Amino acid sequence: MGSGPSGSAWVVKSPIATGAKVVASEVALEKIDLGNESSHFFGAKDQIVGQYALHSLAIGDVISLSDLGRGSTQAGISFLPIGVLATDCPTDILPGDFADIYVIPKDQTTGPALVISHVDVENVDSKSRSLGGSVELALSVTPANAALIVDAESQGRLVVASNAF
């Protein structure tokens, strides 16, 4: 990430499901160079064991402040349907995959931006894909993340990228 200050951050050692309570065996503190982004991640002084995953976390993920919450959020998880152009979604994306959502703003003075990373894909409408044009996806998100996605969609075109982890 650059040659900024080095520090410690929490890293996922075994998958953590949405709404699951974090246990010590699933995470480890590692020395990581986070550069100027260190304030966005849990560090050595932060107690993350006992918090709840706001979305699924995969092995190797560095745990950011937006990944965990203090209470069980399973009841706060909703399925957000979105439609994207068939050309703006990987052809091999399947339910259970993780995706990153980007926005390409209508305002050409602003560049594309990451809206949300590592979101759970709950469903992919194969019928809409076969007709061409658009693909309908259902994403498993918290209300706050749903608001981010809906806001981004109002500002431009959404693009879905497969998240390999």
Side-chain angles (χ1 to χ4, degrees), residues 1-2 4 17-18 39 44 46 50 60 65 68-69 76 85 90 93 96 121 123 130 136-137 149 157:
M1 287 213 174
T18 302
S39 64
D46 298 309
L65 299 178
L68 303 178
L85 295 173
I93 198 160
V121 177
N123 192 23
S130 66
E136 303 295 323
L137 303 171
I149 295 168
R157 189 175 97 225

Side-chain angles (χ1 to χ4, degrees), residues 98-123:
F98 297 112
D100 295 337
I101 309 295
Y102 294 86
V103 63
I104 299 175
K106 296 172 195 169
D107 177 4
Q108 294 183 356
T109 61
T110 307
L114 178 65
V115 177
I116 185 170
S117 179
H118 206 74
V119 66
D120 295 321
V121 177
E122 288 296 323
N123 192 23

Side-chain angles (χ1 to χ4, degrees), residues 82-95 97-102 104 119 121 123-126 128-129 132-139 157-163:
I82 64 168
V84 296
L85 295 173
T87 56
D88 290 342
C89 184
T91 57
D92 60 348
I93 198 160
L94 298 169
D97 287 349
F98 297 112
D100 295 337
I101 309 295
Y102 294 86
I104 299 175
V119 66
V121 177
N123 192 23
V124 179
D125 185 351
S126 308
S128 65
R129 181 188 306 266
S134 71
V135 176
E136 303 295 323
L137 303 171
L139 307 174
R157 189 175 97 225
L158 296 181
V159 176
V160 177
S162 291
N163 187 309

